[in-house]
């Protein structure tokens, strides 16, 4: 392909992505996460609060990170500000396109977005990462695959990282579609989750904060687990 066609193609892609982000910022629709570098005011979750809690616990120096259920990539982009090669994976093509729009318009190279519906097979086949973010996706796994399989998926995931940051929907979030399905956690989800993370291989498990979800009045625990 001639050089000028390549330039035209790159220019048109950039313009399309830029337009997409402008429209997304203007539309009166609520997004789950803020848009990185052009924060939309109207979002379900603030995310900066969780990032402030996570940052001091991140492993120092270069490394790799997988953000599972990355959504609009807020945490993947934040991690990429460090010496980290950051990968975000999500099943939803709308989120993926938006993440790639931000990556392109902000000219960030060491970040990658993957489209994938994570299930047991995906986790078995994927490579290892130094650090994994798994925020508010586990209860989707329980809903989609059942409690036993979701826990098995966490076991496989634990074998593929040294550090995990973990948050999940909880059984005390009354009125939600997932509360009943998480009843296996009993009436003390805080202890159940900590114990579970230890069982699957993380020696040091710490609650690093509790955060509002914007969905119910119950805050979710955010954990850091290290081997
Ligand atoms: C509740 S949002 C959480 C987003 C983000 N992790 C956070 O905490 O801010 C759940 C995200 O996980 C994605 N998701 C749910 N199930 C998934 C699966 N099995 N594989 C990949 N992505 C999934 C959804 O598309 C959505 O973006």
């Amino acid at each position: 392909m001639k050089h000028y066609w390549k330039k035209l193609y790159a220019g048109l892609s950039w313009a399309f992505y830029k337009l997409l982000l402008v429209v997304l910022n203007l539309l009166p629709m609520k997004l789950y996460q803020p848009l990185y570098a052009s924060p939309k005011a109207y979002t379900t979750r603030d995310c900066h609060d969780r990032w402030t809690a996570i940052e001091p616990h991140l492993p120092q120096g270069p490394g790799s990170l997988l953000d599972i259920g990355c959504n609009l990539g807020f945490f993947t982009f934040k991690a990429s500000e460090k010496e980290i090669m950051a990968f975000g994976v999500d099943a939803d093509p709308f989120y993926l396109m938006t993440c790639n729009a931000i990556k392109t318009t902000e000219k960030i190279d060491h970040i990658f977005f993957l489209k994938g519906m994570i299930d047991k097979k995906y986790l078995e086949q994927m490579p290892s990462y130094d650090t994994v973010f798994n925020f508010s996706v586990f209860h989707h796994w329980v809903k989609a695959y059942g409690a036993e399989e979701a826990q098995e998926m966490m076991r496989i995931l634990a074998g593929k990282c040294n550090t995990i940051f973990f948050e999940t929907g909880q059984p005390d979030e009354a009125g939600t579609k997932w509360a009943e399905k998480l009843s296996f956690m009993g009436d003390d989800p805080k202890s159940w989750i900590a114990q579970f993370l230890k069982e699957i291989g993380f020696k040091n498990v710490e609650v690093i904060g509790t955060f509002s979800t914007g969905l119910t009045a119950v805050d979710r625990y955010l954990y850091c687990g290290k081997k």
Side-chain angles (χ1 to χ4, degrees):
M1 199 194 257
K2 293 272 191 218
H3 182 62
Y4 53 83
W5 284 120
K6 281 188 190 165
K7 274 198 110 169
L8 180 67
Y9 182 80
L12 287 174
S13 307
W14 187 91
F16 168 74
Y17 279 148
K18 192 78 193 165
L19 184 66
L20 179 83
L21 294 175
V22 170
V23 171
L24 213 49
N25 254 309
L26 291 176
L27 282 180
M29 96 196 207
K30 201 171 192 178
L31 299 173
Y32 193 79
Q33 292 187 340
L35 290 173
Y36 181 76
S38 53
K40 191 178 164 88
Y42 190 45
T43 57
T44 304
R45 301 203 65 178
D46 170 58
C47 292
H48 295 89
D49 52 357
R50 283 185 286 167
W51 180 250
T52 304
I54 292 162
E55 209 178 354
H57 296 273
L58 279 173
Q60 297 300 304
S64 59
L65 177 141
L66 180 67
D67 182 7
I68 291 182
C70 66
N71 200 257
L72 291 163
F74 179 87
F75 295 107
T76 330
F77 282 110
K78 282 297 200 187
S80 79
E81 290 172 4
K82 312 271 172 201
E83 282 182 285
I84 290 173
M85 186 72 87
F87 296 78
V89 57
D90 204 287
D92 189 316
F94 163 75
Y95 296 138
L96 261 290
M97 181 158 59
T98 309
C99 288
N100 279 316
I102 299 169
K103 169 186 159 98
T104 304
T105 54
E106 294 298 316
K107 298 188 175 72
I108 305 170
D109 281 335
H110 53 290
I111 191 165
F112 302 92
F113 292 100
L114 318 163
K115 186 180 172 315
M117 174 63 80
I118 301 219
D119 57 12
K120 198 174 155 200
K121 190 168 172 220
Y122 187 107
L123 292 169
E124 279 166 351
Q125 291 182 342
M126 77 172 201
S128 299
Y129 296 84
D130 297 315
T131 303
V132 163
F133 288 169
N134 187 337
F135 303 144
S136 293
V137 183
F138 175 72
H139 58 289
H140 290 280
W141 291 352
V142 171
K143 219 167 112 223
Y145 311 121
E148 228 172 87
E149 177 114 347
Q151 288 175 57
E152 180 57 22
M153 287 168 70
M154 285 297 296
R155 267 184 205 100
I156 299 166
L157 186 61
K160 303 246 174 167
C161 62
N162 291 321
T163 302
I164 195 165
F165 291 84
F166 183 75
E167 178 200 75
T168 174
Q170 298 169 184
D172 48 350
E173 294 175 8
T176 59
K177 288 184 216 148
W178 51 87
E180 215 171 291
K181 293 198 160 44
L182 299 172
S183 58
F184 60 88
M185 291 184 189
D187 35 8
D188 181 8
K190 182 182 181 192
S191 304
W192 187 92
I193 300 165
Q195 189 53 37
F196 177 61
L197 291 174
K198 283 182 185 160
E199 257 172 48
I200 63 174
F202 298 99
K203 266 200 216 113
N204 301 309
V205 174
E206 196 185 333
V207 173
I208 58 170
T210 56
F211 299 95
S212 158
T213 60
L215 303 169
T216 72
V218 175
D219 289 351
R220 281 183 192 164
Y221 299 105
L222 178 60
Y223 297 80
C224 173
K226 294 191 181 185
K227 282 185 174 168

